[in-house]
Structures are given as structure tokens and as C-alpha cells.
Amino acid sequence: MTVHKHLIIRAEVTNPPTDQKWAEQWIEELIVKIGMIKCAGPISAYVNVVGNKGLTIAAIIESSHIVMHVWDEPNPSLIQFDVYTCGPLDTNIVFNELKQFDIIKLEYKYLD
């Protein structure tokens, strides 16, 4: 039986990721830590448009996707993070990995 887990996070942070290569590696490592299998990506793009500056990283995993959007202009910066899987998901691993961005406010929804 397939399960569906969807974790949607909105985090205000003071140390947002801005380097594409670093962020892609971070997503690669997160995929392994949460026990998923990568199918494609991660790919990233940095948008350098005033009012919308930031980084987007996406990866397709065997059971769905992981996407992170970062807006680094505002203070605090904003991260929107999304993990969808058709398998088990240990949300504590995701929350612990996000701590390195120095979260000052975190909101999330977990659809199980």
C-alpha cells in the first residue's frame, strides 16, 4: 500500500543558502539522510531580480520531489521547503538539517 507524506515548511532565517553548488550538495545529502532515492537533479537557479532575489533548488526522488525556494533579500530571509513522498518520512531529520540556516520562525504543515 502506498502512503503519501507531504511536508510544507515556511521558515524565516538569518543564514540563507545562496550558493547554488553548495545547495545542490545539501539537497543530495538530505535525500540520502531521509532514506530516499534520487532520480534526477538536483538542479538550481539563482534569480538576481530586485524584489525577487533568491535561489531555487529541485530534485526528483523515486517517490516524488524535494523543492526549496530561498528569498535572501528580506531581513529575515525566507525559505519555503517542500518534501513530498510516497514512502515513510522522518520529519525530524528535515527539521534538524534546516537548523543550520538559523531559523527564527518556523511554520509547517504535515499531510499524512
Side-chain angles (χ1 to χ4, degrees):
M1 180 175 150
T2 302
V3 297
H4 297 274
K5 310 284 184 181
H6 195 174
L7 178 62
I8 304 164
I9 297 171
R10 180 189 186 279
E12 293 177 10
V13 304
T14 58
N15 183 32
T18 57
D19 179 86
Q20 287 178 250
K21 294 288 184 200
W22 183 91
E24 288 175 11
Q25 184 62 39
W26 183 81
I27 292 286
E28 289 254 7
E29 292 170 8
L30 180 64
I31 290 168
V32 172
K33 288 177 182 176
I34 62 175
M36 302 298 165
I37 298 170
K38 180 181 79 161
C39 293
I43 60 170
S44 66
Y46 188 88
V47 173
N48 197 14
V49 175
V50 174
N52 197 35
K53 286 185 181 179
L55 183 61
T56 295
I57 309 100
I60 298 171
I61 54 178
E62 188 176 77
S63 53
S64 199
H65 70 263
I66 297 176
V67 179
M68 180 166 66
H69 302 284
V70 180
W71 289 269
D72 56 38
E73 268 184 309
N75 187 12
S77 300
L78 177 64
I79 293 177
Q80 297 274 17
F81 191 80
D82 180 5
V83 179
Y84 188 92
T85 180
C86 297
L89 176 61
D90 184 343
T91 59
N92 289 323
I93 295 170
V94 177
F95 290 126
N96 285 333
E97 290 300 311
L98 288 171
K99 285 180 184 177
Q100 66 191 288
F101 304 127
D102 298 334
I103 297 169
I104 58 174
K105 182 178 180 185
L106 182 114
E107 300 171 302
Y108 70 93
K109 288 189 180 200
Y110 183 57
L111 307 173
D112 186 357

